[in-house]
Amino acid sequence: MKNLVCLITLFFTICTFGQEEKESLLLTFDDSWRKEILPMPLSFAPQIPLKGVEEVRFSKGWAQKDSDTFWTYAFVWNVNLNEMLTTKTLELYMQYYFDGLMGVVNKDKSKTVPKTIALFLKEDDTKETAHFIGKIQLYDAFHTKDMTTLNCSVRQVYCAEKQKSFVLFHFSPQEFAHATWDELYTVALKEKPCKL
């Protein structure tokens, strides 16, 4: 019976992701970037109270410690967020996100994963867009098994007619002036996302 439940769950997951793969291509990106699509609320961060999808793009060197693009990736949330983010909310969401993700990835169950620290500043905003920059200190359960710091840029586009938002995140341990960010910013929202 347990195996049957697992098989049914797997079948529905494959069907769901298959449909999202076709319907949710919101980002422009180079073919060398690996992609994933996740339903929201996220299974590893259910405290983030948003519904929709997350599209992720990983740089070719994302998992290579010696690469300039190590830990360099982007994702966008296409979610039912009908208000502009604040720095406080964004910091809280990133803490939930990375604490949950690293807790799931961590294989050493005797280790207590250190809590994520996220700090953001709002660069500019209008009624329909906002831009934040920040730093996130987190435990890297994927690769180094140590603390690391990611620089982060976040852009929210609010679609008033549809009462939803696109929130685009770019991450890299490289400083913002590094050439890696030029490549990272090629992962962008398609034009006129509110019309999609």
Side-chain angles (χ1 to χ4, degrees):
M1 185 63 176
K2 194 173 185 181
N3 288 341
L4 180 60
V5 171
C6 289
L7 284 172
I8 291 170
T9 303
L10 180 62
F11 172 77
F12 282 110
T13 301
I14 290 169
C15 289
T16 301
F17 281 114
Q19 290 170 356
E20 288 167 358
E21 188 70 25
K22 293 174 185 173
E23 296 170 2
S24 300
L25 296 178
L26 304 170
L27 297 174
T28 60
F29 62 101
D30 182 287
D31 286 344
S32 67
W33 288 60
R34 183 170 58 88
K35 62 180 184 258
E36 287 183 12
I37 297 177
L38 305 172
M40 294 186 71
L42 297 161
S43 60
F44 57 84
Q47 308 94 321
I48 300 173
L50 301 174
K51 294 180 181 178
V53 294
E54 175 185 279
E55 272 190 55
V56 191
R57 300 292 180 269
F58 297 95
S59 69
K60 191 174 181 181
W62 180 80
Q64 299 165 11
K65 296 176 191 176
D66 297 329
S67 171
D68 279 351
T69 60
F70 178 59
W71 254 109
T72 295
Y73 77 115
F75 61 73
V76 64
W77 290 345
N78 175 3
V79 288
N80 65 333
L81 178 61
N82 61 3
E83 60 187 10
M84 301 309 292
L85 285 165
T86 65
T87 54
K88 185 177 179 180
T89 301
L90 188 55
E91 289 166 358
L92 190 62
Y93 286 177
M94 289 297 92
Q95 289 164 0
Y96 289 151
Y97 188 96
F98 286 107
D99 284 347
L101 182 59
M102 297 309 155
V104 168
V105 173
N106 177 41
K107 302 298 182 198
D108 181 1
K109 298 308 174 188
S110 66
K111 179 176 181 61
T112 301
V113 174
K115 293 291 186 186
T116 299
I117 299 171
L119 295 171
F120 283 92
L121 295 173
K122 185 178 281 189
E123 289 280 277
D124 57 63
D125 64 346
T126 67
K127 288 182 179 179
E128 297 176 341
T129 63
H131 181 237
F132 304 82
I133 58 167
K135 288 188 179 287
I136 301 171
Q137 185 179 56
L138 57 93
Y139 178 76
D140 177 8
F142 284 101
H143 312 297
T144 64
K145 311 298 187 274
D146 201 353
M147 297 301 290
T148 191
T149 300
L150 300 179
N151 290 297
C152 180
S153 172
V154 181
R155 179 174 168 240
Q156 178 184 2
V157 176
Y158 172 56
C159 304
E161 287 184 11
K162 296 186 177 180
Q163 293 285 290
K164 71 174 187 176
S165 291
F166 297 95
V167 187
L168 177 60
F169 297 79
H170 292 97
F171 301 94
S172 179
Q174 302 289 358
E175 294 299 326
F176 288 112
H178 194 278
T180 293
W181 282 87
D182 293 334
E183 181 182 355
L184 181 53
Y185 282 140
T186 65
V187 181
L189 272 175
K190 291 187 175 177
E191 285 188 34
K192 300 180 180 177
C194 291
K195 301 296 183 186
L196 296 174

